Amino acid sequence: MSTALWCLLIAGLMPIICAGISKWGASDFDNASPREWLARQEGHRKRANAAQANSWEAFALFSTAVLVALHNNVDAQKLDNLAVFFIVSRVLFIAFYLMNRSTLRSLAWLAGLFTTLTIFASGA
């Protein structure tokens, strides 16, 4: 399996990891009403939940771009490199979100978006 496909799997797991971070170690977590509980959170839990939502949003476009590139036989090495760069930018995005570093978070987000658009354009 290509590196780009492994990156699809990793990107698909990122929102789930963010959800876990938002809930990890909380003694008052309410599994009966997790969304309501998360809506009341502050600090890193609130930011992890926001990173989860953004990760789902980024995954939709990234996965589409990778599939378009694969369907159109984009150079495998180029696609793999771009997919890895996307994953790195998203890991940084999540880390910066958790650390409450908004400018760096925005730059990492832009890097991921630009990479996704580049993948899509290379397959168009």
Side-chain angles (χ1 to χ4, degrees):
M1 187 158 63
S2 74
T3 300
L5 290 177
W6 283 110
C7 288
L8 274 181
L9 175 62
I10 293 166
L13 292 173
M14 284 181 159
I16 297 164
I17 293 167
C18 290
I21 292 169
S22 69
K23 299 169 189 172
W24 184 267
S27 60
D28 64 336
F29 176 68
D30 182 4
N31 198 42
S33 301
R35 292 179 189 239
E36 291 83 3
W37 180 85
L38 281 166
R40 294 189 307 270
Q41 298 309 299
E42 296 296 327
H44 86 279
R45 294 186 193 288
K46 183 176 183 175
R47 292 189 301 274
N49 189 46
Q52 173 193 194
N54 187 274
S55 293
W56 284 120
E57 295 159 3
F59 178 69
L61 189 58
F62 173 69
S63 60
T64 302
V66 169
L67 294 176
V68 165
L70 287 170
H71 177 74
N72 290 311
N73 298 314
V74 169
D75 177 68
Q77 187 63 52
K78 177 182 179 181
L79 177 58
D80 288 348
N81 290 340
L82 288 167
V84 168
F85 188 80
F86 173 83
I87 294 299
V88 169
S89 71
R90 293 301 300 179
V91 167
L92 290 171
F93 170 85
I94 292 167
F96 293 144
Y97 218 143
L98 292 174
M99 293 185 291
N100 202 22
R101 303 292 302 260
S102 59
T103 301
L104 292 173
R105 180 190 81 218
S106 294
L107 291 172
W109 180 87
L110 281 171
L113 176 64
F114 179 74
T115 303
T116 299
L117 294 174
T118 301
I119 292 169
F120 194 87
S122 66

